């Protein structure tokens, strides 16, 4: 079965295959082939994976579940490092090896991917986040209504979420590379969380 057909089949398991699916195999082809083989042979994978949120490479073992494409090509698998289901973008895999260990992910209900990885509702509260050049990854990771260019090379990202308070953790991860600007009460609570985190860090020194 062709690679694109396999991806469309994976998406079609839970929804009709979308014409928005697109894959860039030039940089992902080797990784795709290894993941596809691991799934077929039910073997575990070892990855060196780049996380833009932390700007670091991590090493982990993963039991692959499926390949799919929503704009980019992804592998869904059971991560042995975090002991949780995780999604990995193939073009961020720096190194990959098939292991002799069998792949044994727990029984998981497959998520509906026909409308993308995450789909906020129109009635969800609106949040505005301004990020510097080092925080542009936010626009890749979070579905958003708009992403306006800022003079310093950053972005003003407007998004919706059913749980705005959860974005305080995002603001803490961004540090000096980003801040919540609206709504005002969330922006203030994020600043307060940052002050408390800094005080706790200073107290630990």
């Amino acid at each position: 079965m062709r690679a694109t057909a396999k991806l469309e089949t994976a998406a079609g398991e839970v929804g009709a295959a979308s014409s928005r699916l697109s894959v860039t195999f030039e940089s992902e082809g080797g990784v795709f082939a290894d993941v596809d083989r691991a799934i077929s042979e039910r073997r575990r994978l070892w990855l060196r994976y780049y996380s833009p949120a932390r700007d670091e490479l991590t090493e982990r073992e993963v039991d692959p579940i499926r390949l799919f494409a929503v704009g980019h090509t992804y592998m869904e698998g059971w991560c042995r490092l975090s002991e949780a289901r995780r999604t990995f973008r193939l073009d961020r895999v720096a190194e990959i090896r098939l292991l002799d260990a069998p792949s044994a992910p727990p029984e998981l209900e497959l998520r509906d991917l026909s409308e993308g990885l995450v789909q906020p509702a129109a009635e969800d509260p609106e949040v505005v986040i301004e990020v510097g050049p080092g925080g542009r990854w936010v626009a890749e990771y979070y579905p958003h209504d708009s992403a306006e260019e800022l003079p310093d090379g950053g972005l003003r990202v407007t998004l919706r979420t059913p749980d705005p308070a959860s974005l305080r953790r995002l603001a803490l991860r961004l540090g000096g590379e980003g801040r919540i600007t609206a709504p005002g009460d969330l922006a203030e609570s994020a600043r307060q969380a940052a002050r408390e985190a800094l005080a706790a860090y200073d107290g630990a020194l």
Side-chain angles (χ1 to χ4, degrees):
M1 184 183 289
R2 293 183 303 109
T4 49
K6 286 186 177 182
L7 291 171
E8 289 173 355
T9 299
E13 290 171 356
V14 287
S18 169
S19 60
R20 293 183 295 106
L21 298 184
S22 62
V23 185
T24 303
F25 287 105
E26 289 77 11
S27 62
E28 302 170 355
V31 175
F32 183 98
D34 284 340
V35 175
D36 188 42
R37 180 181 171 191
I39 293 172
S40 298
E41 299 179 2
R42 297 185 179 180
R43 290 168 62 182
R44 187 169 298 172
L45 289 165
W46 172 88
L47 308 177
R48 289 183 70 230
Y49 186 76
Y50 174 68
S51 171
R54 296 189 295 271
D55 191 26
E56 65 180 10
L57 285 166
T58 60
E59 296 183 8
R60 58 188 74 212
E61 293 185 6
V62 178
D63 292 341
I65 296 172
R66 61 174 168 171
L67 284 157
F68 64 91
V70 181
H72 295 277
T73 318
Y74 296 86
M75 170 184 67
E76 186 174 24
W78 184 261
C79 177
R80 295 290 169 176
L81 178 65
S82 57
E83 288 297 318
R85 173 164 51 187
R86 291 289 184 266
T87 299
F88 302 92
R89 213 172 97 177
L90 296 198
D91 62 355
R92 292 188 175 133
V93 175
E95 191 176 350
I96 185 169
R97 289 201 304 265
L98 275 77
L99 302 177
D100 291 331
S103 174
E107 291 292 330
L108 299 170
E109 181 179 351
L110 295 181
R111 294 176 295 171
D112 185 347
L113 303 173
S114 61
E115 296 298 329
L117 293 177
V118 181
Q119 289 299 319
E123 64 271 15
D124 289 341
E126 185 177 271
V127 179
V128 180
I129 302 174
E130 292 186 359
V131 300
R136 294 177 67 96
W137 58 266
V138 169
E140 297 182 31
Y141 265 53
Y142 290 85
H144 53 277
D145 294 339
S146 65
E148 305 169 38
E149 293 285 344
L150 296 175
D152 65 353
L155 294 172
R156 179 180 294 110
V157 181
T158 301
L159 54 86
R160 297 179 185 277
T161 173
D163 182 19
S166 66
L167 294 179
R168 284 198 299 264
R169 292 189 295 274
L170 171 61
L172 288 172
R173 280 210 311 275
L174 287 167
E177 281 292 339
R179 62 193 181 94
I180 297 172
T181 61
D185 57 344
L186 179 59
E188 176 54 36
S189 67
R191 287 191 292 269
Q192 180 60 32
R195 288 192 290 266
E196 291 173 357
L198 182 60
Y201 176 79
D202 290 341
L205 295 180

